[in-house]
Amino acid sequence: MEQHEFKTLIEADDIQRRVREMAERISIDYPESSPLFIVLLKGAFIFAADLIRNLSIPHEIDFITLFSYQNGTKRSADVGVINHLRCHIEGRDIIIIDEIVDTGHTLSRLIRTLKDHNARSHRICTLLDKPDTREVNIEVDYVGFTIPDVFVVGYGLDYRERYRNLPYIAELTPEIKNTINS
Ligand code: IMP
Ligand code: MG
């Protein structure tokens, strides 16, 4: 385990409870159409694993890796695709699973692709939403927790590929960041 003392923002139990509620809500909203869940890698892999295990409806799952050019904790609007979807999109009801919506650039890139491939519908399901930092206007349909403009790690979210394994969400304060960087 890492040695840093993190400032916990959302406890593990609260995450698990909320994820169960979200899965129940989605199961009610999609009783019959067998939606296709598209999981954004890498960050959403833990959230997606917990969410789908709480679903009570038939569904399929696929994965996509998008990246935005990044400088430390700052993101840019330039989004590229690393691995592509393998499932057929046309005519499907899609639910995108993301771990956090920040500027919204990553999701708006993916939504463009889904429209190009004639998805029947799409909704966004995210564990965390940071509305204060949004740069593009996108509709987020299922939100676990709304958080302020702080950089967070844990439950799949990383800082330089570290801390994805924490079972809770922690704020990466500038003081901790300095000790990591030094
Ligand atoms: P967006 O395109 O700016 O919405 O960025 C989305 C991606 O940036 C997320 O899926 C995360 O991978 C990453 N990201 C944004 N905020 C944070 C954070 O606070 N901690 C860790 N990763 C973040
Ligand atoms: Mg992500």
Side-chain angles (χ1 to χ4, degrees), residues 173-180:
T173 60
E175 298 77 54
I176 297 172
K177 231 164 87 204
N178 285 339
T179 60
I180 296 167

Side-chain angles (χ1 to χ4, degrees), residues 75 98-100 102-106 130 150-152 157-158:
R75 327 278 313 173
D98 203 355
E99 76 285 13
I100 188 165
D102 184 15
T103 63
H105 289 297
T106 312
K130 274 204 266 195
V150 291
F151 194 84
V152 290
L157 289 104
D158 72 304

Side-chain angles (χ1 to χ4, degrees), residues 36 38 85 89-90 94-96 109-123:
L36 170 62
I38 297 180
L85 295 166
I89 301 295
E90 191 169 337
I94 310 285
I95 303 171
I96 301 167
R109 170 74 171 77
L110 178 56
I111 289 165
R112 230 170 40 234
T113 305
L114 297 179
K115 284 183 177 157
D116 288 347
H117 288 82
N118 300 317
R120 181 162 80 166
S121 71
H122 66 265
R123 281 189 180 166

Side-chain angles (χ1 to χ4, degrees), residues 9-64:
L9 203 64
I10 308 168
E11 302 283 354
D13 286 353
D14 293 331
I15 297 174
Q16 293 304 324
R17 194 174 317 118
R18 187 75 187 114
V19 171
R20 277 198 301 275
E21 286 172 2
M22 294 172 87
E24 280 164 20
R25 182 71 252 168
I26 292 170
S27 300
I28 291 168
D29 290 350
Y30 292 82
E32 300 188 325
S33 72
S34 186
L36 170 62
F37 288 88
I38 297 180
V39 182
L40 277 145
L41 296 176
K42 303 176 192 172
F45 80 110
I46 291 179
F47 173 44
D50 283 345
L51 187 81
I52 64 156
R53 281 181 293 177
N54 282 285
L55 291 171
S56 55
I57 47 164
H59 62 275
E60 289 175 36
I61 187 158
D62 201 354
F63 301 89
I64 191 166

